[in-house]
Structure formats: C-alpha cells, structure tokens
C-alpha cells in the first residue's frame, strides 16, 4: 500500500530597505566680506622763505624825494597858509594905508620898493636835521602746515547665520516578498520538484 506523504514548501518573508543619504549643501555658506580704507599719513609741512622788509621812505623824504600824496598834501597846506598870511598882511596894510596914508612922511611907493627889493637881499637859510634811518624788518622762516595722521580702517561684515540647506536622509522599509507556506500530499514518496 502506498503511503501518503505530506509535502511542505515555504519561503521566508523578505524585508527591503530604500535609503536616501542626508545631504548638506555647502554652497549657501556666506564668506565674510571685508571693506577697508587705507589713507596713508602725510606730513603736510612746508617751510616758508625768510624775508626782509625795507622801508626807506622816511630817509628819502628828508632828502626831498616824496611820493605824490605827501607832496600834494604839503604843497596844499603851504598854499593855504600862504594865502591866509597874504590876506592878513594885505588887510593890515590896507587899514594902515587908510588910517596913515594922508600923513606927511608916509611914502607908499618907497614902502613898496623896499618890500620888493628885500626879497633880493634875503640870504639863503640852511637848516640841519637828522636823517632818519631806514626801517628794516626781518622775517625768519617758519614750519607751517598740519600733519594728516591718515586712516587705516577695516570693516569685516559677517552674517549671523550661515545659509546652509540640509536635506535629511530617509529610510523606507517595505515588504519585498510576503513569503508563503504550502502543503500538499503526494503518494508514495515526497514531491521534490514542486
């Protein structure tokens, strides 16, 4: 008699994993920027030339070399005083002639002649005066100018946060093969082909 055989075939379930690596995008990192000003220092100093100021006008004026302003002022003043003196003298002479002209011994013509010829007999008058020295003023050379200290500044600008884009990783699990268990019967021997 043939014996009934129980055949069993099975397959285990298989789990699969699909993974995505986490990724860090570094292109978003902002590098610090620096801006600066570099102005070199300068002395800005210079030396003035020495000088000499010479005023010899008072000395030249004592010799008679006047400028036109002084000459016209002096001549104008002298003209005014001469005109005042002549007016006063003529007024006195007129009153004198009016009051004493009719008296005996008052020869008007003789008086005028003696006055005219007195200018010819006048002797020259010389005066001596000290000649003033020329005024001299010396100026020494000086160092002038203000130094420029320059300016060297560096301004570094940074961002408080880096712009980093991070894509997180992912792990996904799924059932690739459910697996199975099958049973069947065969007569006589085991079924090894199934």
């Amino acid at each position: 008699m043939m014996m009934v055989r129980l055949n069993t075939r099975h397959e285990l379930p298989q789990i699969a994993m699909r993974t995505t690596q986490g990724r860090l995008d570094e292109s978003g990192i902002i590098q610090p920027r620096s801006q600066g000003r570099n102005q070199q220092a300068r002395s800005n100093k210079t030396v003035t030339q020495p000088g000499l100021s010479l005023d010899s006008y008072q000395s030249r004026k004592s010799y008679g070399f006047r400028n036109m302003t002084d000459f016209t002022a002096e001549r104008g003043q002298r003209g005014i005083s001469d005109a005042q003196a002549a007016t006063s003298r003529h007024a006195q002479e007129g009153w004198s002639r009016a009051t004493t002209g009719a008296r005996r011994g008052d020869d008007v013509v003789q008086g005028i002649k003696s006055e005219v010829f007195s200018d010819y007999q006048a002797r020259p008058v010389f005066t001596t005066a000290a000649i003033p020295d020329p005024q001299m003023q010396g100026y020494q050379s000086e160092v002038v100018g203000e130094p420029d200290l320059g300016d060297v500044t560096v301004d570094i600008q940074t961002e408080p946060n880096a712009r980093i884009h991070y894509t997180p990783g992912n792990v996904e699990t799924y059932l690739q093969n459910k697996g199975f268990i099958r049973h069947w019967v065969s007569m006589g021997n085991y079924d090894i082909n199934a």
Side-chain angles (χ1 to χ4, degrees):
M1 146 171 183
M2 287 197 103
M3 224 166 152
V4 177
R5 306 274 185 197
L6 178 60
N7 293 305
T8 302
R9 178 163 180 121
H10 69 89
E11 217 176 82
L12 295 175
Q14 293 179 343
I15 297 174
M17 294 170 55
R18 188 176 299 124
T19 62
T20 304
Q21 297 288 330
R23 191 174 68 194
L24 179 65
D25 185 9
E26 297 180 6
S27 64
I29 295 177
I30 300 172
Q31 296 295 327
R33 297 181 307 275
S34 67
Q35 293 178 347
R37 184 172 177 226
N38 187 0
Q39 180 182 348
Q40 298 297 321
R42 296 182 180 178
S43 69
N44 289 338
K45 295 278 188 179
T46 185
V47 178
T48 62
Q49 293 293 324
L52 179 65
S53 172
L54 180 63
D55 183 11
S56 62
Y57 179 67
Q58 295 301 325
S59 298
R60 290 185 292 116
K61 184 177 177 183
S62 65
Y63 285 109
F65 297 103
R66 297 174 187 85
N67 60 18
M68 190 53 74
T69 303
D70 286 346
F71 180 75
T72 54
E74 182 183 319
R75 292 299 175 191
Q77 188 65 35
R78 185 172 173 187
I80 291 172
S81 65
D82 287 351
Q84 289 173 346
T87 304
S88 174
R89 186 172 47 102
H90 289 313
Q92 287 176 0
E93 287 176 359
W95 279 110
S96 175
R97 299 277 189 270
T99 57
T100 62
R103 293 185 189 164
R104 185 179 289 228
D106 188 15
D107 190 5
V108 175
V109 175
Q110 185 63 29
I112 293 173
K113 281 184 182 179
S114 65
E115 184 180 336
V116 168
F117 287 110
S118 69
D119 287 341
Y120 289 113
Q121 295 172 355
R123 297 186 181 222
V125 177
F126 296 99
T127 59
T128 59
I131 297 172
D133 293 331
Q135 300 295 321
M136 288 188 289
Q137 177 78 30
Y139 304 101
Q140 61 185 357
S141 61
E142 295 179 356
V143 178
V144 294
E146 290 296 323
D148 183 3
L149 301 179
D151 184 15
V152 178
T153 56
V154 177
D155 181 21
I156 300 175
Q157 299 175 356
T158 59
E159 296 292 330
N161 298 319
R163 284 189 224 155
I164 299 174
H165 180 67
Y166 174 68
T167 305
N170 187 14
V171 177
E172 181 185 350
T173 59
Y174 60 93
L175 189 61
Q176 186 176 4
N177 192 353
K178 293 182 179 181
F180 61 88
I181 298 176
R182 289 190 207 137
H183 301 285
W184 73 92
V185 289
S186 61
M187 301 302 266
N189 51 12
Y190 291 106
D191 186 4
I192 61 171
N193 293 325

